[in-house]
Amino acid sequence: MKGFSWLKSPLVVKTAGFAFVALAFFYLGKHWSDDTYQQLIFFSSNSDLTAKTPIVSISPNFNKTFDVKSLINDTNEVETVADHTLPAIPPAALVSPPPPPPPPPPAVQRLGVVDENGVMRDEFEVGEYDPDVVENRNNETKAAESDEGVKFRVPKFETCPVSLREYIPCLDNVEAIKALESTEKGERFERHCPEKDKGLNCLVPAPKGYKAPIPWPTSRDEVWFSNVPHAQLAEYKGGQNWINVDKDKFKFPGGGTQFIHGADKYLDQISQMVPEITFGNHTRVALDVGCGVASFGAYLFSRNVLTMSVAPKDVHENQIQFALERGVPAMVAAFATRRLLYPSQAFDLIHCSRCRVNWTRDDGILLLEVNRLLRAGGYFAWAAQPVYKHEPLLEEQWEEMVNLTTRLCWNLVNKEGYIAIWQKPLNNSCYLNRESGTLPPLCDEKDDPNDVWYVDLKPCISRLPEDGSGANITDWPERLNNPPPRLQSIQLDAYVSRNDLFKAESKYWKEIIDSYVRALRWGTFKLRNVMDMRAGYGGFAAALIGNQLDCWVMNVVPVSGPNTLPVIYDRGLLGVMHDWCEPFDTYPRTYDLLHAAGLFSVEQKRCNITSIMLEMDRILRPGGRVYIRDSVSVMGELQEIGRAIGWRVAIRDTAEGPHASYRILTCDKNLP
C-alpha cells in the first residue's frame, strides 16, 4: 500500500479536485445551452413589499432561437421556431408595449430679418430661390440621363459674320424699321427687337487687332484705335475738340460743341452760375442728353458725380461706343415716342448741350419727359444757340422755351453766355394754382410715373408724391446707405419691413464682396464698366464702392421683379429697367464684369437662358469676367453653355460650403 501513498499527497488531491470541478461546469454548460431546453419563465420580486407571492412573466425570447454567430456578423435574420413544451399564452396576457411618442411639431420658419420684438437681428440668412418651384422650359440645350445624374450637351457656337461686329439687335433690326408706318418723331431710333426665333445665335467677333482696354483713369483721355476702328467721328468733329486720331490711339481733349475750351472750365461755369448745385454733394446723379463722346460725364467723375450719357444711334453712330470704351456710363437711347427706361425723379441734374432735341415740339411732350426724370428741386441746364444768339428764328425758339418752362412751373435760375439753367419745383402746389385750362395738365392720379417698359410718352405733368419723397433725400455720400423714403412705395408680394430688407441686402453683399476682394483678389482686377444683371436695391454696387474699387455699376432691374429703380437712384447710383428675354441696348464689348445673382433660376420660367448667355457674351469685353451666383439646379446647364461659348468656366462653392443650395459659376472670356 505504500506504493499508492503518493495518491494522498496534497498536489494530487488538488489536481483531482480541479479536474472534477472543470468537468462539472462543462456538463452543466452543455446541458443548459442545449437548443432543446429553453428558459421561459422568470421569477422576480414585486416592487410592492407587501406582496407575498412572486410574479411570473414570460421571457421575451419565448419560442425563439438565435444563431449567435449571425447576430454578431449581422448577416442573417432571426428565425422563429415553434415550441410545444408549454401551452401558448394568449396575447392578452402579454405586456403591451408603451405607445410611440408623438412626432415633434414642425419647426417654425422665420421669415424676414426681425425678431419677436420687431428689431432687426444681427444674425440672419439671406436665402435663395427654391429650385423645386422653378419651371423648366425648353432651351437650346439637350439633357441626357447618366449614372452621375442629368448632364447637358451644348454644341459649340459659331462666330457671326464680320458685318455684325457692332450689332445691337433691337436697334439694328432693319426689317422692323422698314415696316414702321412713320419715322417722323424718331421711331427708328427706338427698340425694335427681332422675333423670338430670329435672335442672335452666334458669337459677335471683335475687330482685328483688338487689345485689352486701357485702364481708367488713363482711358478718360485715350483709347486704342483698333478697339473702336471708326475714324468718321474724328473727321466730323475734330475741329470741336471732341476726338482726335494720334497714331494707334484716339485722344479726347475734353472739349464739346459748346465747350471747346474743355469740360472742366464748362463745369466751373455751371457751378458759379448756381452754387447750390454743389457737384458731388447735393448733385450726385446726372443725365447728359446727346452726349457726344461723353466728355461732360467723364470729367464729372473727378467731382464725385455719376452721369448717364445717352444718345441715339444716328449719324454720330459710334459716340456711345466711344463713351463706354473710355469707361464712362452710357446707353443708346433717344427722346422719341416712348419713355426712357429710367424712373421718375432719377436725376439731380439733366444737361443738354446742342443735343439736337426739339424740346417744344408736340406741345412740349419731350420736355415733359425731362420733367418726369428730373428730381424735385433738380436742375435742367440747356446750352444751345437760342440761349445766346439774336436771330429772329432763334429768338422765337427761346420764347417758346420760356413759355413752356413757365407752364411747367420751372424757375429760370440763371442765364449766362450760352447756358440757361432752370429749377424744378419741390411739390405740386404751383401746378395746382395755375389758371384753369392751362396746358399741359397734371397726369391722372392713377398714372405711375415709374412705369417705363414700352410705355408711350404722355402729354401731361407727372405728379410729385404728396409726402415729399424723392425731394427729401440726404446728400452724398450719406444717401448711399440711408434707406430712402421712396423705399416704402416699392410693391412687394408680402408684408415685410422694407427698411430691414434694405439693410439685410446691404449687409449680405458687403460680406460677399469683402470675401471676393480677399479670396478672389477682386482688388487686382482692372474693373471699370460693371453690370449687375439683377440689382435689387443696389447692394452689390454699394459694396463695390465700400471696397473703394474704381468702377461704376449699371444696376439692371428686370421687369419680372419689383421695380426698385427709384431706390437705386435715391442712393446715388445708376440703373435701368430691362427684360432679359430681349437684348440690351448697348454696343458689343462694353463691360468688364457681368454679375448675375439668382437671375437664371427666375428667368428660365420666361426666357431662353441660352439667349441670355449669348447676349452676355456680346456685351462682355474680351478678357472680361462673369460671376453667376445661382441655384444648383441651373449650374450644370449654365456651365455647358459657357463652355460652348468658349469661356473658361469653373464652379465654386459659396462660403456656406458644398451642401449649400447654390453655387458660383465663374467665367473668363479670352482675348482674341
Side-chain angles (χ1 to χ4, degrees):
M1 293 297 292
K2 291 182 179 179
F4 294 97
S5 61
W6 59 272
L7 294 173
K8 298 180 180 180
S9 65
L11 178 63
V12 172
V13 172
K14 290 180 180 180
T15 302
F18 178 78
F20 176 78
V21 171
L23 289 172
F25 274 107
F26 174 79
Y27 173 78
L28 291 173
K30 185 177 184 303
H31 176 76
W32 290 103
S33 64
D34 194 332
D35 290 345
T36 62
Y37 189 91
Q38 297 174 329
Q39 285 281 53
L40 300 177
I41 302 177
F42 298 88
F43 294 86
S44 63
S45 299
N46 195 319
S47 57
D48 184 358
L49 297 178
T50 61
K52 296 184 178 180
T53 58
I55 295 176
V56 179
S57 62
I58 305 302
S59 167
N61 295 327
F62 173 63
N63 281 345
K64 294 183 181 179
T65 62
F66 300 96
D67 183 347
V68 176
K69 181 178 179 181
S70 67
L71 286 174
I72 294 174
N73 295 322
D74 195 23
T75 56
N76 297 321
E77 296 182 357
V78 176
E79 180 182 359
T80 303
V81 297
D83 190 289
H84 303 287
T85 57
L86 289 175
I89 305 297
L94 298 177
V95 178
S96 301
V108 178
Q109 183 180 5
R110 297 187 180 276
L111 302 177
V113 294
V114 295
D115 60 17
E116 293 82 354
N117 299 319
V119 179
M120 181 176 176
R121 291 182 280 131
D122 291 332
E123 299 298 329
F124 57 86
E125 180 178 355
V126 180
E128 295 289 328
Y129 286 89
D130 185 353
D132 294 335
V133 304
V134 178
E135 297 181 28
N136 290 319
R137 297 294 179 95
N138 292 328
N139 294 311
E140 296 178 9
T141 57
K142 296 180 179 180
E145 293 284 350
S146 69
D147 294 338
E148 300 177 0
V150 178
K151 287 190 173 181
F152 296 92
R153 298 176 182 176
V154 185
K156 288 191 175 182
F157 294 97
E158 298 180 354
T159 302
C160 301
V162 177
S163 60
L164 298 180
R165 193 176 61 190
E166 318 295 349
Y167 181 57
I168 305 177
C170 293
L171 301 178
D172 292 330
N173 189 352
V174 178
E175 293 182 3
I177 293 173
K178 287 182 178 179
L180 292 174
E181 296 181 0
S182 172
T183 59
E184 180 183 354
K185 297 179 180 179
E187 292 89 344
R188 63 193 180 95
F189 300 124
E190 296 180 315
R191 291 174 60 84
H192 306 285
C193 297
E195 297 177 9
K196 185 175 181 180
D197 298 330
K198 296 183 179 180
L200 195 68
N201 198 31
C202 55
L203 308 177
V204 174
K208 184 178 180 180
Y210 185 91
K211 303 177 183 179
I214 295 173
W216 182 268
T218 307
S219 62
R220 188 195 73 170
D221 302 322
E222 61 182 32
V223 301
W224 296 117
F225 182 95
S226 57
N227 288 11
V228 192
H230 302 288
Q232 298 92 335
L233 194 60
E235 296 170 1
Y236 185 63
K237 291 290 186 180
Q240 297 177 1
N241 231 13
W242 276 29
I243 180 173
N244 299 317
V245 179
D246 184 4
K247 298 179 181 178
D248 60 347
K249 295 177 181 177
F250 285 108
K251 296 290 184 71
F252 304 94
T257 304
Q258 288 294 151
F259 45 95
I260 60 175
H261 298 297
D264 262 335
K265 291 184 177 180
Y266 181 72
L267 293 172
D268 289 340
Q269 181 182 356
I270 292 175
S271 296
Q272 293 166 6
M273 291 175 63
V274 186
E276 293 78 10
I277 285 181
T278 56
F279 289 124
N281 191 326
H282 182 68
T283 298
R284 164 62 181 174
V285 186
L287 176 69
D288 188 16
V289 182
C291 61
V293 292
S295 289
F296 180 81
Y299 280 81
L300 274 173
F301 266 113
S302 62
R303 303 179 188 232
N304 231 357
V305 175
L306 280 178
T307 306
M308 180 75 79
S309 300
V310 298
K313 193 176 183 182
D314 56 7
V315 292
H316 302 153
E317 184 171 334
N318 300 95
Q319 53 191 328
I320 294 299
Q321 191 174 19
F322 278 115
L324 288 161
E325 186 68 20
R326 296 176 73 181
V328 180
M331 279 190 68
V332 184
F335 281 83
T337 67
R338 299 191 194 124
R339 285 178 170 176
L340 272 66
L341 302 177
Y342 316 115
S344 66
Q345 300 196 76
F347 301 101
D348 309 314
L349 170 71
I350 297 181
H351 170 257
C352 161
S353 175
R354 295 286 289 274
C355 57
R356 301 174 56 169
V357 176
N358 182 3
W359 296 117
T360 58
R361 79 156 169 90
D362 295 335
D363 298 321
I365 195 168
L366 300 183
L367 201 64
L368 287 169
E369 175 66 358
V370 169
N371 184 75
R372 183 187 71 85
L373 296 169
L374 189 60
R375 189 176 300 281
Y379 297 92
F380 176 70
W382 190 38
Q385 290 182 340
V387 176
Y388 64 93
K389 281 196 173 182
H390 301 286
E391 299 176 4
L393 180 59
L394 296 175
E395 288 182 346
E396 181 182 345
Q397 293 176 2
W398 170 253
E399 290 300 324
E400 290 177 356
M401 188 70 167
V402 170
N403 180 274
L404 175 60
T405 54
T406 301
R407 287 183 279 120
L408 292 179
C409 293
W410 287 8
N411 177 35
L412 180 59
V413 180
N414 204 343
K415 177 186 176 185
E416 180 181 294
Y418 45 79
I419 306 175
I421 301 178
W422 286 268
Q423 185 178 24
K424 179 179 175 177
L426 289 168
N427 52 51
N428 296 319
S429 60
C430 175
Y431 305 140
L432 299 174
N433 291 328
R434 296 182 305 168
E435 293 184 7
S436 178
T438 301
L439 298 176
L442 274 173
C443 292
D444 188 271
E445 292 182 358
K446 296 181 180 179
D447 174 65
D448 182 3
N450 297 313
D451 186 13
V452 297
W453 188 246
Y454 287 111
V455 175
D456 291 338
L457 296 176
K458 298 188 178 181
C460 57
I461 301 173
S462 297
R463 293 174 180 265
L464 293 172
E466 294 297 332
D467 60 1
S469 58
N472 53 4
I473 58 171
T474 54
D475 289 338
W476 182 264
E478 290 78 12
R479 65 192 275 187
L480 177 64
N481 296 310
N482 289 344
R486 285 205 286 180
L487 177 64
Q488 306 307 318
S489 67
I490 304 301
Q491 297 181 359
L492 299 174
D493 293 337
Y495 181 78
V496 293
S497 171
R498 288 161 174 77
N499 283 357
D500 286 337
L501 286 177
F502 179 92
K503 294 175 183 177
E505 189 198 74
S506 297
K507 179 179 178 181
Y508 177 76
W509 283 115
K510 181 183 183 303
E511 292 178 354
I512 290 176
I513 298 303
D514 287 351
S515 68
Y516 285 176
V517 171
R518 269 194 324 270
L520 303 180
R521 300 179 299 151
W522 273 32
T524 65
F525 293 173
K526 295 178 180 179
L527 299 180
R528 180 57 188 171
N529 303 353
V530 178
M531 176 183 286
D532 189 1
M533 300 176 67
R534 184 169 176 263
Y537 295 123
F540 174 81
L544 293 180
I545 294 174
N547 276 275
Q548 299 182 345
L549 298 180
D550 198 6
C551 61
W552 61 271
V553 180
M554 181 69 77
N555 293 283
V556 180
V557 174
V559 298
S560 55
N563 184 1
T564 55
L565 275 177
V567 174
I568 288 172
Y569 276 91
D570 287 354
R571 298 186 75 172
L573 305 172
L574 297 175
V576 67
M577 180 71 70
H578 185 62
D579 185 347
W580 283 114
C581 296
E582 299 181 3
F584 192 78
D585 287 343
T586 192
Y587 280 88
R589 304 173 300 280
T590 51
Y591 285 91
D592 301 298
L593 172 67
L594 301 178
H595 176 260
L599 176 74
F600 291 94
S601 55
V602 175
E603 298 295 15
Q604 71 171 348
K605 296 183 293 184
R606 311 170 47 249
C607 314
N608 184 318
I609 64 175
T610 300
S611 298
I612 299 177
M613 294 279 277
L614 285 171
E615 176 64 4
M616 293 169 69
D617 181 76
R618 185 185 72 85
I619 67 179
L620 184 65
R621 285 172 164 174
R625 294 176 169 87
V626 174
Y627 273 66
I628 299 173
R629 189 181 183 92
D630 218 316
S631 168
V632 173
S633 64
V634 298
M635 277 297 162
E637 185 174 1
L638 295 178
Q639 184 180 33
E640 289 306 310
I641 297 172
R643 287 173 177 165
I645 289 174
W647 296 343
R648 288 180 286 116
V649 300
I651 293 181
R652 300 173 181 268
D653 291 331
T654 64
E656 288 77 7
H659 301 295
S661 60
Y662 47 93
R663 300 279 189 276
I664 300 172
L665 178 66
T666 63
C667 312
D668 295 330
K669 182 176 179 178
N670 296 322
L671 282 163

